[in-house]
Amino acid sequence: MTISFDTTQILIGGRWRAAGNGETIDVINPSTGEEVCKIGRGSAQDIDDAVAAAEAALNGEWGKMSATERGRVLSNISVKIKENEDELAALESLDVGKPLKQARTDATAMARYLEFYGGSADKVMGHTIPYADGYTVYTLREPHGVTAHIVPWNYPMQIAGRCIGGALAMGNTCVLKPSEDACLSLLLFARIAEEAGLPKGVLNVVPGYGAEAGAALTAHTGVQHISFTGSVGVGKMVQKAAGENIVPVTLELGGKSPQIVFDDADIEAALPFLMGGGIHNAGQTCSAGTRIVAQRGIYEKLIAAMTERYEALEVGPASDDLDVGPLVSEKQKNTVNDYIKYGVDDGLTVAAEGYLTANCPEKGSYVKPTLFRDVPYQHKLAQEEIFGPVQVVIPFDTEDEAIKIANGTEYGLVTGVWTKDGGRQMRMAKAVKAGQIFINNFGAGGGVELPFGGIGKSGFGREKGFEALYGFSVLKTVATNHG
Ligand code: NDP
């Protein structure tokens, strides 16, 4: 495809320009292994400029807008995202290897985030609090000020949509540092937001390496809130940086989400969701339901049904729009293949594999989807976030055992429970440790309206839904003694 804008430009204070040091980073198409364009390599100096621009914007037109007016701008952005869905999806496919249909779903979800937060902007209210005689006490919700947004490569549009949308709804300004592996759709998003009437300096975008631009942003003393989605290792660094400056931080750090299937489950209804955990976005999803925890009575039937589907899975270039595209990079491909090799060498049984079509260029980052069966729940492959098209099936006998296995990792992001027994549905929802629990469905973190976030090493804080707006604002209590 021909890209319609200069991808090397970064956005600061409403001006598109080269990164200050003039350096760039190559963008590789993971479907082919070939370079498609370059992006700017933002530096600490660019971050300084972006934070200054975001500070200035707080005191300009944006700071004076009513919540309703802010909401209208977000709604306009949503409409324009929809108008540009084709280009956004094509860019995402090119940049991260997502099959076109899946990339389009992400663009639609980003539009929906802006629509939801546009409608929410003027509906966040404070309270009046009964207090001593002669006093009137009320609370106000105010923006933090300049907010930092560190976004990973797996769902750039959805993740930026949820954190930028929520932050803007509350009147904050934003500095966005996308992953160096996934910038293109977000550079176009920023252009769309400008066209839709977002005042200059309210959204600044500085692509670059995490250790350079990302670290400079999270350590910046001008930032008043940090929203981070990514790995546990970098999450720890971000929390330390936030601690130095005593600013709030939201950490969304991934998981090893179980889908628990009881003997009485409707397997036909469950199968698309069970498969989705491994194949959607090639398994590169923080909330992917990659641990299938299945009761003995349906165990073999479930394995047989999943095997049939795995063996039909086609892997190919993003533009072929098959079940599974390439992984985001050669590095990620190697990481995932190392996990598969470790499992096989350690004696795990491969129940089924998908296949690579003849169209896969040799230099693309393709991995065969792989289903392991009879995996002990403490095994490395059942404990660690693989972030690729790999699923494990773990058998269990009793409800207590299912709970022990489900809660038996250091993560707690999402849990799926498949059972028709109403009492068990209630017991399981209480017993499992996860930020979201889906009964007889699996949202894969889904639902713009649904608060989302982790327990344990999956992080803390909630994004998505109305709940996120409390995190993106500060509560102020006003007590007036009027006698
Ligand atoms: P990282 O945590 O390294 O990257 C996430 C984001 O943080 C990117 O924008 C990255 O920038 C940025 N970043 C990296 N280093 C720093 C730093 N020192 N300070 C501030 N920001 C920084 O994840 P990876 O991309 O390396 O992926 C590794 C693993 O993380 C995956 O295999 C997966 O397990 C997990 N992951 C989980 C995600 C989730 O949704 N929970 C999303 C992505 C990854 P840049 O990419 O430019 O370096």
Side-chain angles (χ1 to χ4, degrees):
M1 76 177 281
T2 314
I3 300 176
S4 66
F5 57 91
D6 182 351
T7 56
T8 62
Q9 305 276 288
I10 68 177
L11 176 63
I12 294 178
R15 201 163 71 82
W16 289 94
R17 62 158 172 87
N21 54 18
E23 290 187 37
T24 55
I25 300 170
D26 297 341
V27 174
I28 306 295
N29 175 355
S31 292
T32 61
E34 281 160 13
E35 184 185 324
V36 284
C37 63
K38 294 181 190 298
I39 50 165
R41 177 175 169 179
S43 63
Q45 181 58 55
D46 295 314
I47 291 292
D48 271 349
D49 296 345
V51 172
E55 257 162 17
L58 284 169
N59 301 317
E61 186 189 349
W62 182 247
K64 294 183 184 65
M65 270 188 195
S66 68
T68 309
E69 286 167 327
R70 278 201 311 269
R72 283 194 192 120
V73 175
L74 298 199
S75 303
N76 283 344
I77 300 175
S78 169
V79 170
K80 292 221 170 284
I81 292 171
K82 282 190 204 131
E83 288 169 9
N84 287 277
E85 251 179 25
D86 286 345
E87 192 177 352
L88 284 163
L91 278 175
E92 197 77 297
S93 260
L94 187 72
D95 202 4
V96 303
K98 216 171 266 225
L100 269 171
K101 230 181 274 143
Q102 296 183 27
R104 183 172 268 280
T105 306
D106 288 5
T108 308
M110 180 164 63
R112 176 73 190 112
Y113 278 114
L114 272 297
E115 183 183 35
F116 179 85
Y117 286 119
S120 308
D122 60 3
K123 293 169 191 68
V124 182
M125 294 170 206
H127 300 284
T128 55
I129 302 172
Y131 194 57
D133 188 34
Y135 280 81
T136 298
V137 181
Y138 59 93
T139 60
L140 296 171
R141 285 244 160 229
E142 296 189 347
H144 290 285
V146 176
T147 56
H149 302 263
I150 310 268
V151 169
W153 43 259
N154 57 341
Y155 289 89
M157 286 195 274
Q158 293 213 35
I159 294 170
R162 81 183 186 214
C163 61
I164 300 284
L168 293 182
M170 295 312 297
N172 298 283
T173 56
C174 304
V175 179
L176 166 65
K177 208 301 281 175
S179 164
E180 93 236 11
D181 286 325
C183 278
L184 302 185
S185 61
L186 296 186
L187 291 172
L188 180 57
F189 161 65
R191 287 171 189 271
I192 290 170
E194 275 187 312
E195 264 178 48
L198 192 67
K200 290 184 192 321
V202 174
L203 171 62
N204 304 275
V205 186
V206 184
Y209 290 117
E212 295 175 1
L217 179 57
T218 54
H220 204 290
T221 51
V223 166
Q224 278 100 34
H225 181 279
I226 303 171
S227 172
F228 173 81
T229 305
S231 61
V232 174
V234 177
K236 284 183 191 169
M237 289 194 255
V238 171
Q239 190 172 356
K240 277 189 195 143
E244 279 300 315
N245 294 329
I246 320 283
V247 294
V249 56
T250 302
L251 297 180
E252 203 275 87
L253 307 178
K256 190 75 182 173
S257 294
Q259 298 208 57
I260 307 163
V261 190
F262 285 93
D263 285 347
D264 68 343
D266 178 344
I267 292 199
E268 282 310 308
L271 272 169
F273 296 90
L274 300 178
M275 293 294 296
I279 61 170
H280 192 79
N281 202 27
Q284 302 166 112
T285 305
C286 48
S287 52
T290 50
R291 281 194 300 151
I292 311 295
V293 184
Q295 203 164 15
R296 296 259 183 216
I298 45 96
Y299 192 76
E300 290 304 332
K301 190 174 164 198
L302 186 66
I303 298 264
M306 288 190 76
T307 296
E308 193 186 331
R309 282 163 181 76
Y310 255 80
E311 287 174 351
L313 285 178
E314 293 185 307
V315 183
S319 53
D320 285 3
D321 214 4
L322 303 174
D323 305 303
V324 181
L327 300 199
V328 70
S329 61
E330 167 105 22
K331 180 175 156 226
Q332 192 65 14
K333 173 183 104 172
N334 293 337
T335 304
V336 174
N337 276 335
D338 285 350
Y339 271 109
I340 295 173
K341 183 169 181 313
Y342 181 91
V344 171
D345 291 350
D346 204 40
L348 292 184
T349 307
V350 173
E353 287 175 335
Y355 65 93
L356 310 192
T357 63
N359 254 356
C360 293
E362 208 174 306
K363 278 165 48 197
S365 309
Y366 301 96
V367 169
K368 268 192 208 167
T370 306
L371 181 70
F372 286 97
R373 61 170 293 166
D374 313 331
V375 179
Y377 86 92
Q378 306 93 331
H379 193 277
K380 180 179 162 90
L381 266 65
Q383 290 287 321
E384 295 181 13
E385 186 177 45
I386 297 174
F387 237 58
V390 180
Q391 287 179 293
V392 296
V393 192
I394 306 167
F396 74 91
D397 290 300
T398 64
E399 195 174 304
D400 282 347
E401 204 185 342
I403 293 165
K404 184 173 154 201
I405 294 169
N407 292 342
T409 73
E410 26 177 46
Y411 293 107
L413 195 55
V414 174
T415 295
V417 181
W418 295 90
T419 178
K420 292 185 189 129
D421 180 331
R424 179 185 282 148
Q425 292 171 1
M426 299 291 178
R427 289 193 297 276
M428 292 300 289
K430 285 195 172 174
V432 296
K433 292 194 181 120
Q436 281 190 333
I437 292 138
F438 293 99
I439 314 278
N440 291 332
N441 73 102
F442 195 87
V448 167
E449 306 83 352
L450 313 181
F452 177 69
I455 292 176
K457 292 263 165 57
S458 292
F460 54 81
R462 293 293 177 265
E463 289 194 349
K464 301 191 180 187
F466 206 80
E467 191 70 28
L469 298 176
Y470 301 125
F472 283 120
S473 59
V474 178
L475 186 80
K476 201 188 243 179
T477 305
V478 183
T480 308
N481 178 354
H482 41 70

